[in-house]
Amino acid sequence: MKIVIIGGVAGGASAAARLRRLDERAEIVVLERTGYISYANCGLPYYIGGVIEDPEDLTLQTPESFFARFRVDMRVRHEATAIHPERKTVSVKNLETGEEFEEAYDKLLLSPGAKPTQPKLPGVGLKKVFTLRTVEDTFRIKEYLNAHHPKSAVLAGGGFIGLELAENLRELGMEVIIVQRPRQLMNPFDPDMASFLHSEVRRHGVRLALGHTVEGFAEKDGGVEVLLKDETPLRADMVVLAIGVTPDTALAKEAGLELGLKGSIVVNDRMETSVPDIYAVGDAVQVKHYVTGQDAVISLAGPANRQGRIAADNICGGDSRYPGSQGSSVLKIFDMTAAVTGVTESAAKRAGLDADAVILSPMSHAGYYPGGRLMTMKVVFEKSTCRLLGAQLVGYEGVDKRVDVLATAIHAGLTAIQLKDLDLAYAPPYSSAKDPVNMAGFLVENLAKGVVKQFRIEDLGRLPHDGSATLLDVRTGGEYRRGHIEGFRNIPVDELRERLGEIERGKPVYVLCQSGLRSYVACRILAGHGFDAYNFAGGYRYYDAVTGEHRLIESATDCGMDK
């Protein structure tokens, strides 16, 4: 059997290795149009910033090492130019010699990945306007930095690559502005959780121009002007387009394969395309979202590698199935870590799910052990069933650990309440006796059983200020004086029982504290004395981060530009 693989990075390389492990006699040919195989896309910004010093560390394998281990014919600088399903061949061009030929196959695996989204704007092709997707892209940027020592950069796009590159360019001492049309960074997060990311990048000197539309680029005075709709242009020494990726499926389209979202290749759970004997994996394919069951395009290395393995199993006569993608991911943003799995609350509601969320601010480990830091967790669940739908975490140590636990719980079909029963490892340097994941389960259980009722940040504008309800802040007097929500009166929780007479009976009481814990205690005290109490999800710390961000977005200072 002869298998031809188009694309030798994540999915393609994984498939090739698995094919050889399953079939020692198969002829395996990999066609890769770049000069590199099996490289780490996620590591590219860190080479630009100097964190990864040796360029060879970016490639997990070379064509030579791959052949030595697996006897796979890795042909770099070979571009597949057409697929001919009717005669089971692929047209190929050797990019170094110009030679063109056809390669026959018994089975064909497409792993072309995705290409940087490049809008058709004036100036996209300027020499100082870069994209970052391949090793060659990385070297071009690095060579430009070394040769010209630019002092400023505009990054068009605030996703994974944009934020990682922003951090690394700032570490080189450059001025960095991120500009994009969406009014938040990192679309996989809800806007409230993205607020914490905005604060972190601003704290490290990155300026944000959110909600602005790029209309083109122009060379001026030795630099680049970024032309914005209805705004003063931004000027920098270089520009990097990081506005997302698009499935690279021109070959599949021309060959008549069925395409789906964003032009992605439609596959079944065996990674088979609509054409017999042709499989597809990675960033170019349409998958089912594991939580919603809806079609999705999720460009992440983990799913691509697993899909490559599944396709190889099936090519060799097995019956492996891909259950869908959850979108689990983690990101380093300067000193902070941000992670997500499943669906956001807003995405869940768009999918027609009756979603709710709990928000908590636990410590990364036991509070009495030195070095603990707060994290913010948002756990999304379905109201009627408490089915766990997703989670977002922002913090420092321990964020990656918790998101992996939550991702596993979603995959296992646990409810949000069952999080309370997970037997998680505890020692003071690493966690608390009640792990943050357990705490999320306790919160959801309390809501489901009516032990506590909550109100959310979006409800604040609807709270009555006419005396028909009591708005209560149960933090200490010092905390209250340092900042509070207008209309909320202060009675510290430890004084509440003695001051119940100050709260009018027969009216609902809306309670908040710094993180939601003391206000929960206050709600139980009030409920025990016959009051109808509601706890504010997330606490004042969360409120201050989110509303402070909204104030910035609504003001001219948000764009970070000189007016």
Side-chain angles (χ1 to χ4, degrees), residues 405 414 418-426 433 435 437-438:
V405 173
L414 300 186
Q418 286 177 299
L419 296 176
K420 70 184 178 66
D421 299 321
L422 294 179
D423 193 350
L424 304 175
Y426 160 62
D435 188 86
V437 173
N438 297 135

Side-chain angles (χ1 to χ4, degrees), residues 252-266:
K253 181 179 180 179
E254 292 168 4
L257 276 66
E258 182 183 353
L259 302 183
L261 294 176
K262 301 179 182 178
S264 58
I265 302 169
V266 173

